[in-house]
Amino acid sequence: MRTLAAAAERLPLHTPFRISRGVKDAADVVVATIEGGGHTGRGEGVPYPRYGETVAASLAAIETVRPAIEAGAGRHDLLSLLPPGAARNAVDCALWDWEARVAGTTVAALAGRTMPVAPIVSALTIGLDTPDAMAAAAAALAHAPLLKVKVDRSDPLAQVAAVRRAAPAARLIVDPNESWTIAEVEALQRPLADLAVSLLEQPLPAGDDAALAGLAPLVPICADESVHTAADLPALAGRYGLVNVKLDKAGGLTAALALADAARAAGFGIMVGCMICSSLSIAPALLIAADAAFADLDGPLWLADDRPGGVRDASGRLVPPDAGFWGGA
């Protein structure tokens, strides 16, 4: 016999997080907990308004599957019981954690994957601000090997150039969060390449991807909002070179692993990302990060207080959580 419960948590940030869509000062998450046989499994999801999600709706969705989960439904059953999104992510990751603990093994072993044990390079984010403010933020992180630069349409080249001057050695990911037009994408290719930008993430609104067909980018372009699950991949061929795998978009580790595998088979590079979240969201994503081209998993680093035993930053490298934090033995 096992039980499923879910609760909402609001996790304050130490600094406001600004992107082209707005600013936030706290992470609102849902945590699913599965108990049974003397073991407890946990999973976290981050309902995202961009996708029409709310905390209340996510909790209600989890409640609809509680009878099935408590009756023994598993991770693959969950794929048809809930749509992709934060609710399914929380329950799916709780099931993985619980199953590993019951079996006395690890999620990595159950999945046939490798969980990083050494620190991995993960982007540290420079939030959207004035170029001067972004330069100051970049100067404080200039030691990091990889920075992610949030920009908008106001003056993106000045924003990126300010970061580059302050952090001359770092690799840069530029993320307009769907705020550009195709004319801006085309016009900024050479300047971004001249600034040694390594990756341009989702410059156009999701749904406008057709405009990228035929573009020979000087900076590789990664899909984020345009890709949620493996079913989205065929429409992205010839338009994007990489896809950003996020467990909250895919609806859990099960679907995220399937997306990553299908993307590689289709010739896409892999980036693994996250929402602003706690380490409970990041621990499962590390299985994707193990062999991704880019990792952007600094969500917990924005929190005023993360969960005990979670990830931590070491000069731009993400130290995995303590043993037993999530994922079994």
Side-chain angles (χ1 to χ4, degrees), residues 174 189 197-201 203 217-222 240-242 294:
V174 171
Q189 284 297 302
V197 171
S198 296
L199 191 68
L200 176 61
E201 184 180 352
L218 299 177
V219 175
I221 302 178
C222 178
Y240 292 95
L242 298 89
F294 294 90

Side-chain angles (χ1 to χ4, degrees), residues 90-114:
V91 178
D92 179 76
C93 290
L95 282 167
W96 276 105
D97 189 25
W98 181 79
E99 290 172 16
R101 294 178 191 279
V102 168
T105 185
T106 64
V107 166
L110 288 179
R113 309 286 172 135
T114 300

Side-chain angles (χ1 to χ4, degrees), residues 17-117:
F17 183 79
R18 293 182 176 88
I19 65 173
S20 63
R21 279 193 290 269
V23 61
K24 65 190 306 180
D25 58 14
D28 293 298
V29 307
V30 294
V31 177
T33 304
I34 294 174
E35 294 186 342
H39 298 279
T40 299
R42 301 178 300 156
E44 180 181 284
V46 185
Y48 201 44
R50 166 65 181 81
Y51 305 131
E53 296 180 313
T54 66
V55 168
S58 296
L59 291 174
I62 293 172
E63 182 59 25
T64 68
V65 300
R66 184 176 58 80
I69 297 299
E70 292 183 347
R75 290 178 282 104
H76 293 287
D77 301 308
L78 188 62
L79 294 174
S80 61
L81 293 173
L82 283 177
R88 194 172 79 184
N89 181 27
V91 178
D92 179 76
C93 290
L95 282 167
W96 276 105
D97 189 25
W98 181 79
E99 290 172 16
R101 294 178 191 279
V102 168
T105 185
T106 64
V107 166
L110 288 179
R113 309 286 172 135
T114 300
M115 180 70 83
V117 294

Side-chain angles (χ1 to χ4, degrees), residues 255-285:
L257 290 170
L259 169 58
D261 289 345
R264 288 191 187 90
F268 292 97
I270 303 298
M271 176 179 180
V272 58
C274 66
M275 309 302 184
I276 300 298
C277 59
S278 84
S279 287
L280 188 54
S281 284
I282 298 304

Side-chain angles (χ1 to χ4, degrees), residues 234-261:
L236 305 183
R239 301 171 182 180
Y240 292 95
L242 298 89
V243 296
N244 190 349
V245 178
K246 291 180 179 175
L247 273 66
D248 278 307
K249 291 188 303 177
L253 178 60
T254 303
L257 290 170
L259 169 58
D261 289 345

